[in-house]
Amino acid sequence: LKQVIDPSAIQVFLDEGTLFGVARALVNADRIFEEDPGDSDLMAIDKPQSKENLSPGSAATWAQIRKIIEEGLASATRIARAHPENYARSNEKIVAEGVSSASISVVVNTLLQKALECSLDCTSLVCGVVDLALL
């Protein structure tokens, strides 16, 4: 089967799947800022004890969102560097299919703006966004 399928088609499939996963994770992280994070699947792994600790600006919540952003940016940047056409095409499909209302870089930017509004430290993440934007 590998001999029949074009290797570039396999790479498109892998890149697209990765970027769709990144977009979904970022959209879910964004929802934490919009709704009660106590109901979020992202919080199910390590739920804090009190409702007060579940606020979007809490350290525990920010740590989880930050990890999602870091890993998402790393994956998106690797793909954008290695296969810029796959990155651009996948971002168009992500928006067209309604997975996200904007590209990955725009969603990350929105998350970082919300973090800044909550007075959370995100200076190291800004470099990742700038890096992705410059590709």
Side-chain angles (χ1 to χ4, degrees):
L1 185 61
K2 283 186 179 181
Q3 294 172 346
V4 176
I5 298 176
D6 178 19
S8 64
I10 293 171
Q11 191 62 54
V12 168
F13 178 74
L14 293 172
D15 291 347
E16 186 175 290
T18 300
L19 292 170
F20 267 73
V22 166
R24 285 185 187 101
L26 292 170
V27 167
N28 286 337
D30 187 47
R31 287 187 186 132
I32 292 174
F33 281 107
E34 301 298 328
E35 62 187 34
D36 178 6
D39 295 332
S40 172
D41 289 339
L42 292 172
M43 298 300 293
I45 297 170
D46 185 26
K47 280 197 173 183
Q49 295 297 320
S50 73
K51 198 72 167 163
E52 179 182 313
N53 291 337
L54 290 175
S55 68
S58 74
T61 303
W62 176 238
Q64 290 178 338
I65 292 171
R66 182 184 186 93
K67 184 170 178 72
I68 291 166
I69 295 171
E70 286 173 346
E71 292 177 3
L73 273 174
S75 295
T77 302
R78 274 193 299 274
I79 291 169
R81 276 195 182 116
H83 311 283
E85 65 286 345
N86 292 355
Y87 177 79
R89 194 174 314 120
S90 294
N91 265 305
E92 289 173 7
K93 286 178 94 173
I94 285 166
V95 174
E97 293 182 18
V99 173
S100 174
S101 60
S103 71
I104 289 172
S105 57
V106 171
V107 174
V108 169
N109 184 49
T110 300
L111 283 166
L112 294 180
Q113 287 176 345
K114 290 177 182 182
L116 289 171
E117 289 169 9
C118 294
S119 299
L120 298 167
D121 179 29
C122 58
T123 51
S124 64
L125 294 173
V126 172
C127 294
V129 175
V130 171
D131 192 26
L132 183 58
L134 292 176
L135 293 175

